[in-house]
Amino acid sequence: MNAVIDHARSRGSPRGEPVRLKDGTFCHIHPIGRDDPELVTACFDGLSDASRRLRFFGAKRALTEADLAYLSGADGREHLAFAAVRRDALGRDTDVLGAARCIRSPPESETAELAMAVVDRAQGNGVGTALLDHLIEAAREQGIRRFRCEVLADNEGMRALAKRLGGHPGWLDDGTLEYDCPLPDAPAASKPNPKRASRRRPVPRSISWRTARPVPAPWTDSWDRAAKVSVAFFETAALTWYDTVLPGQFGR
């Protein structure tokens, strides 16, 4: 087996070191710069219309020249950007799996705007986690201490990543959610516990709804989106009540 792969790690790893994904394949995290517009284009081409809506907050059929210049304009200080690129058994790069970036706002501040996208065929495989771990490490080196991100309420993937960083959501005037996330001081190190794993309960099978006729996709998509927005609204309201109303009641 290739020596490079022998040293692969299962989570976000130091730069230059491959990352093992959930399906057993490997990728490495490649910086995106002004000479890498093809990485940005490949990631965009791998997104479905639904994923593009979540990433760009609306329908987007193609990237303009201005988009490419902006998305590949990372300078390593104010704008950090990385792509996850699959690596085969021979250590060769193949396809782009996703991209993540952060941009200081305002310049020279300790806060950066976070954005991320994972191509549809690679979603749920640990790509987002690997990108985020790598981006956090690079951001800390540049003095960035917080990520801020705006997400659509039905963007469950980005909401999960923001909550993993300890971010609490707030509603903006346009109906989107904004998370303010403090960066951890050091990467979290987790070691498997054999005793705990042996006591782990089996995951219950999900309930599948069966209908005599297929439900039209536009109807199910709209219902699913509305349900996710409702969950996000009540979750945000509950956190706000917990942080503001509840302390006042106990302080009386």
Side-chain angles (χ1 to χ4, degrees):
M1 183 176 291
N2 189 291
V4 175
I5 295 178
D6 287 341
H7 292 88
R9 311 241 318 246
S10 60
R11 293 291 302 277
S13 54
R15 267 159 278 185
E17 200 171 311
V19 180
R20 185 192 300 272
L21 301 176
K22 292 180 180 180
D23 63 359
T25 61
F26 296 86
C27 73
H28 78 105
I29 309 301
H30 189 291
I32 299 175
R34 300 186 186 280
D35 297 329
D36 303 304
E38 71 280 356
L39 295 176
V40 176
T41 302
C43 182
F44 181 84
D45 290 343
L47 300 176
S48 64
D49 289 342
S51 295
R52 291 176 184 177
R53 183 187 70 84
L54 295 178
R55 170 62 181 86
F56 296 99
F57 293 73
K60 194 170 187 65
R61 297 295 182 185
L63 293 175
T64 65
E65 291 185 6
D67 291 332
L68 276 177
Y70 177 76
L71 295 175
S72 60
D75 59 7
R77 171 66 183 172
E78 299 296 310
H79 181 177
L80 308 175
F82 299 95
V85 183
R86 190 185 299 278
R87 178 166 287 178
D88 64 17
L90 298 177
R92 298 172 301 189
D93 295 341
T94 55
D95 50 330
V96 176
L97 304 178
R101 69 187 64 251
C102 67
I103 303 174
R104 290 183 195 262
S105 179
E108 298 297 331
S109 73
E110 294 186 348
T111 301
E113 300 288 342
L114 170 68
M116 182 181 301
V118 176
V119 302
D120 284 59
R121 64 180 177 278
Q123 292 176 6
N125 200 24
V127 175
T129 297
L131 281 167
L132 183 63
D133 288 347
H134 196 94
L135 186 62
I136 289 173
E137 180 183 349
R140 279 200 307 263
E141 291 179 359
Q142 298 302 323
I144 296 171
R145 297 292 177 260
R146 308 184 75 85
F147 280 161
R148 181 181 296 120
C149 58
E150 294 183 17
V151 303
L152 294 177
D154 57 326
N155 190 341
E156 292 182 314
M158 283 299 295
R159 286 173 51 208
L161 286 175
K163 286 191 287 186
R164 176 193 161 198
L165 290 175
H168 280 195
W171 283 98
L172 300 180
D173 292 339
D174 59 359
T176 60
L177 292 170
E178 181 181 64
Y179 287 86
D180 185 26
C181 309
L183 300 190
D185 293 333
S190 59
K191 296 182 179 181
N193 187 331
K195 293 182 179 180
R196 182 176 297 176
S198 64
R199 295 194 300 267
R200 192 173 299 167
R201 295 181 180 179
V203 179
R205 295 182 180 179
S206 59
I207 299 175
S208 60
W209 293 90
R210 297 183 179 181
T211 57
R213 297 180 180 178
V215 181
W219 189 92
T220 55
D221 290 346
S222 299
W223 186 92
D224 183 61
R225 187 180 305 171
K228 291 176 181 177
V229 171
S230 298
V231 170
F233 174 80
F234 286 111
E235 177 186 74
T236 306
L239 287 171
T240 301
W241 180 84
Y242 182 84
D243 290 338
T244 58
V245 179
L246 189 60
Q249 291 180 346
F250 278 95
R252 293 177 181 177

